[in-house]
Amino acid sequence: MIKIAMFDTKSYDKPSFIEYGKQNNIEYKFFEVHLNEDTAHLAKGFDGVCVFVNDVVNKEVINILYSYGIKLIVLRCAGFNNVDTKAAFGKIHIYRVPAYSPYAVAEHAMALLLTSNRRIHKAYNRTRDYNFSLNELTGVDLHNKTIGVIGTGKIGKVFINICRGFGMNVIAYDKFPDQSSDIRYVSLEELFKESDFISLHCPLTEENKHMINDETIKTMKKGVGIINTSRGGLIDADALLKGIKERKIGFACLDVYEEEGDIFYQDKSGHILDDDTFRNLISMPNIIVTSHQAFLTKEALNNIAETTTENIVKYFANEVNTNEVCYHCANIENCKKKRKLQCF
Ligand code: NAI
C-alpha cells in the first residue's frame, strides 16, 4: 500500500481520491492544514505528498520532506508557481495535472464577465430585498466588443471559442503563439490598447509577474473590464485598485489574488481581514471576487483525482511521465521530457 499525505484537503476533494486510491492500492491521508515549514513534519512516514495551489513548497519544505525520504510530490493542479522546482531538482520528483477541465475555468471566466457586465450580482441582491429598480444596472452588448485573451493554451482556446459564440472580436497574445490556429495574435501593447475586456489565461512566471500594473493600465481603454482566473500575481493589486478608483477600469473579476494563500478556501466571516488592499478591492461595487473556484466542477474534481493517482502509480512503476515538471520547463532546450526521459 502506497501512503500519500494530502495537504489542504477539503470535503469535496475526498470522495474521488478515496475511490481512485482504492482502485490503485493507494492510501490517501487527508490533512486540512496547508503544507508549510510548520506542518511538513506531518508527512513523516509517508511515501509521497499531494499538494494544492496555496501549499508552500519552498526550499525549506523540500529539504524537510527530503530528510524524511520523500521523493515524490504530486500537485493536484496545473500551475506549479508555488513549488521551488530548482530546490527540488535531483531530490524530489514533481508531477502536476496539466489539464483537468479547461471548460470549467473558461466557463467560469465567461460567467464572471457576464455577471459583471450585466450587474447580475447587484440585481440578485436587489430583488431579494424587493428593490426592482434598474438604476445603475446598464451593461453593454458583448457582440462586436473586442476581448483580449492573454495565453492561448488549453483554457485560453476554450475561452476564445466561447467568446466567438457571443460574436465578440477576439485578439490574443501568447509568448509562444499557436501558428497552426486561426487566432489573431497581436503584441501585448496592442492588446492592452484595443481591448474592451482582457482575460488572463497564462501561467505566472518571473517575467510576467504584475503584467497588469500602473504603466500597462495607463495604456488600456477607459472602462476596460479585466478578468483573472489565472494567477493573482499577474496583477499588481494596488495598481488595480488605483485604476478602479480613477474610473479607468470599468470592472474587475478576480478568481485569484496574489496574497490569497491565507484567505481563500476558508470561512473568514466574522474575522477582520488584515489585507487592506484586498478589503478595499472587495468593497468596490464593480469588483467580483470568487475564491479560486474556477476549476470547481464535478468533472474537474474527478479528472484531478484520476490523473494524480496515475502520476503516483507511474512514479512507483518508474515510468517516464510527461506530467513531471522541473525548473527546465522554463527553458525548453534543456528539457529531458522532450527526449522521453525523466527530469533527473
Ligand atoms: P496551458 O499551459 O495549456 O496554456 C498556457 C499558455 O500561456 C500557453 O499557450 C503558453 O504559451 C502561454 N504563456 C506562457 N507564458 C506566457 C507569457 N509570459 N505571456 C503570455 N502567454 C504565456 O495552460 P492552461 O491549462 O490553459 O492554464 C492556464 C493557467 O490557468 C494556468 O497556468 C493556471 O495558472 C490557471 N488555472 C487556474 C485555475 C483556477 O481554478 N482558477 C485552474 C487551472 C488553471
Side-chain angles (χ1 to χ4, degrees), residues 31-271:
F31 294 107
E32 285 181 14
V33 289
H34 283 162
L35 175 65
N36 56 36
E37 295 87 340
D38 299 328
T39 59
H41 66 273
L42 293 168
K44 202 171 183 176
F46 286 85
D47 302 305
V49 163
C50 178
V51 299
F52 197 46
V53 289
N54 291 321
D55 288 304
V56 178
V57 195
N58 59 17
K59 190 174 178 180
E60 204 177 336
V61 169
I62 284 163
N63 287 337
I64 297 172
L65 297 177
Y66 187 64
S67 75
Y68 298 151
I70 289 171
K71 299 207 173 67
L72 170 70
I73 296 177
V74 279
L75 292 145
R76 50 184 200 283
C77 52
F80 52 99
N81 53 288
N82 56 330
V83 181
D84 186 338
T85 45
K86 200 157 192 177
F89 194 77
K91 293 180 174 167
I92 299 186
H93 290 271
I94 315 283
Y95 298 87
R96 65 173 181 143
V97 183
Y100 33 90
S101 173
Y103 311 102
V105 183
E107 288 169 13
H108 191 77
M110 182 47 91
L112 289 172
L113 169 53
L114 288 169
T115 305
S116 284
N117 176 41
R118 301 304 297 270
R119 321 286 196 265
I120 304 295
H121 54 308
K122 301 262 152 218
Y124 173 78
N125 284 329
R126 276 190 198 180
T127 53
R128 283 165 67 89
D129 207 20
Y130 303 153
N131 174 355
F132 301 105
S133 142
L134 297 184
N135 291 334
E136 309 294 329
L137 298 187
T138 311
V140 295
D141 286 3
L142 294 188
H143 183 78
N144 271 343
K145 293 293 176 306
T146 297
I147 182 140
V149 178
I150 301 180
T152 57
K154 292 175 285 297
I155 297 170
K157 284 202 177 87
V158 174
F159 184 71
I160 286 172
N161 279 338
I162 294 173
C163 292
R164 285 175 173 168
F166 278 83
M168 300 181 84
N169 168 38
V170 180
I171 56 174
Y173 168 78
D174 195 299
K175 197 178 166 199
F176 308 101
D178 178 358
Q179 302 298 4
S180 67
S181 72
D182 61 352
I183 297 168
R184 200 181 128 217
Y185 287 103
V186 296
S187 68
L188 199 51
E189 292 72 28
E190 191 176 342
L191 185 145
F192 286 145
K193 205 165 134 226
E194 298 299 329
S195 299
D196 298 300
F197 310 105
I198 296 171
S199 193
L200 305 179
H201 298 289
C202 59
L204 172 65
T205 62
E206 270 172 35
E207 119 197 67
N208 67 12
K209 186 173 176 211
H210 289 180
M211 72 191 304
I212 307 282
N213 56 44
D214 276 329
E215 292 312 309
T216 54
I217 289 171
K218 272 186 206 148
T219 67
M220 293 175 193
K221 276 190 182 176
K222 186 169 165 50
V224 63
I226 297 176
I227 306 124
N228 188 7
T229 55
S230 213
R231 283 294 179 266
L234 293 168
I235 297 183
D236 175 344
D238 289 310
L240 181 74
L241 187 60
K242 189 163 158 248
I244 290 275
K245 280 186 183 164
E246 289 172 351
R247 282 43 170 192
K248 172 84 184 191
I249 295 171
F251 64 79
C253 312
L254 309 175
D255 186 52
V256 285
Y257 172 63
E258 190 167 10
E259 305 299 333
E260 69 181 49
D262 291 332
I263 305 171
F264 282 7
Y265 300 124
Q266 297 165 60
D267 182 355
K268 292 272 183 187
S269 46
H271 291 244

Side-chain angles (χ1 to χ4, degrees), residues 328 332 334-344:
H328 287 318
I332 289 167
N334 290 334
C335 179
K336 283 190 163 182
K337 275 191 303 190
K338 288 241 168 268
R339 286 179 274 136
K340 298 205 169 17
L341 297 170
Q342 282 186 332
C343 291
F344 61 89

